[in-house]
Amino acid sequence: EAVVTSMGEGLYTVDSQGMVTSVNLAAEKLLGWTREELLGRKMHDMTHYKHQDGTPFPAEECAGFQVLRGGKALTNHEDVFIREDGSFFDVLYSSSPIMAGGKVAGLVVVFRDVSDRKRAEKAILERDRALTAANEALKKQTAVLAGVNKELEGFSYSVSHDLRAPLRTIDAFSR
């Protein structure tokens, strides 16, 4: 119990009906709900009932519900949970069935907030796109400059060729 209470990741357990049976302190902080508000209620209906675009998220489609139904553990699943205040946050969670008498009696979910990591990944992708665009612009500019250099080479050749005859005449006259 001391380990569960002091761990940094959120942890909760639900029974076979999806009703919350226990919640650690980290889960309370991450979700914004108190233990008393969560116990005996369906976790999905509290923290996972809609997508970020506002469309409903049926419990049957929830990966955690699949663990409850099938009894197979789920590891490092990325998803979005909803806080008590209605705000969304990115999570990485694992869920394992709690077995009793050969049947799934519930499940335990361990999760952590990965919103900062997601924001950093998004910033890196945006910076990568900007760098790619800048690189393409530089390639175009390089091509333009190469064309201008060719024109200058042609002009220099023409000027030097055109000036040779008069310079020979001046040179001969000065001798």
Side-chain angles (χ1 to χ4, degrees):
E1 189 175 327
V3 171
V4 171
T5 301
S6 63
M7 65 190 284
E9 289 81 13
L11 181 140
Y12 64 86
T13 58
V14 298
D15 63 17
S16 61
Q17 304 304 309
M19 303 295 217
V20 178
T21 55
S22 68
V23 180
N24 76 348
L25 186 60
E28 286 183 75
K29 287 180 182 176
L30 289 167
L31 297 169
W33 297 94
T34 65
R35 179 183 331 261
E36 292 74 26
E37 292 170 320
L38 290 171
L39 291 176
R41 296 181 75 182
K42 285 197 175 199
M43 183 57 94
H44 184 83
D45 295 347
M46 303 290 287
T47 64
H48 214 205
Y49 57 90
K50 67 179 177 179
H51 296 285
Q52 282 183 297
D53 64 6
T55 59
F57 185 28
E60 297 79 34
E61 295 175 14
C62 178
F65 184 75
Q66 300 305 319
V67 173
L68 205 53
R69 279 173 121 192
K72 289 187 179 178
L74 177 70
T75 306
N76 294 327
H77 182 75
E78 291 191 20
D79 212 330
V80 177
F81 283 176
I82 307 166
R83 291 187 179 94
E84 187 271 337
D85 65 6
S87 63
F88 292 87
F89 67 106
D90 295 299
V91 295
L92 181 68
Y93 75 93
S94 296
S95 179
S96 297
I98 299 170
M99 305 299 287
K103 293 184 177 183
V104 178
L107 59 90
V108 60
V109 176
V110 177
F111 67 98
R112 73 175 143 225
D113 184 346
V114 292
S115 299
D116 290 339
R117 187 192 84 198
K118 287 288 197 179
R119 278 190 289 279
E121 287 173 358
K122 185 178 178 183
I124 288 170
L125 284 174
E126 288 173 5
R127 186 174 32 190
D128 190 38
R129 281 189 210 110
L131 287 172
T132 300
N135 193 28
E136 290 301 316
L138 283 173
K139 284 179 183 178
K140 288 178 184 176
Q141 188 67 20
T142 300
V144 168
L145 289 173
V148 169
N149 273 340
K150 285 226 181 267
E151 287 178 25
L152 282 173
E153 285 174 9
F155 177 74
S156 317
Y157 178 78
S158 175
V159 167
S160 71
H161 187 268
D162 290 349
L163 289 177
R164 259 188 215 144
L167 285 175
R168 274 192 227 131
T169 305
I170 293 170
D171 182 47
F173 181 73
S174 66
R175 286 189 189 157

